[in-house]
Amino acid sequence: MGTKSREVIWSGRIMGAEISAKHAREEARKAVREADRAEAEAWSVRMEGYGGPAQPSPTIAQCLNGGMGWLEVECVRCKTRASLPLDAIRRPRDTPIWKLEASLKCRSCRKGRSAPPVHMIKLTETRSITPYKWVHPTEER
């Protein structure tokens, strides 16, 4: 009579450990997504409620992972509001949101090369503001 092979003896425990590891990874992914969303919502509420401070802020990747894919901004001069998609911003994903504010400018009240800055209001899941309507300079607004 022969003895049982190692495969027969250990295969059940190996499969159980692999299933357990896969489940733990899925749970960790969900926990990271929830943490990213909570951080993005906390920053958004702080910005909308108090108007700042903008630092510390979540990164672009954290906002996208948490489901907050739109940044709402307002022009300092003309008070025009716009929603910007974070996935279309050409910056590294590990860039904090507050670093974007210096590079964002208002299109509607631009004069020549000078454009007033905008300030960030909040992060949202969906576009909450209608897109900017382009008007030809010869037409009335």
Side-chain angles (χ1 to χ4, degrees), residues 32-88:
V32 167
R33 186 171 292 122
E34 288 176 16
D36 289 344
R37 183 173 184 89
E39 186 174 352
E41 284 178 348
W43 183 83
S44 183
V45 168
R46 190 169 57 240
M47 289 299 292
E48 188 177 21
Y50 297 146
Q55 297 177 25
S57 69
T59 63
I60 295 172
Q62 287 174 325
C63 293
L64 291 173
N65 187 34
M68 305 291 268
W70 293 86
L71 176 65
E72 191 174 314
V73 295
E74 182 179 58
C75 176
V76 174
R77 185 188 302 161
C78 68
K79 303 300 181 200
T80 301
R81 286 188 170 207
S83 287
L84 308 173
L86 289 177
D87 57 352

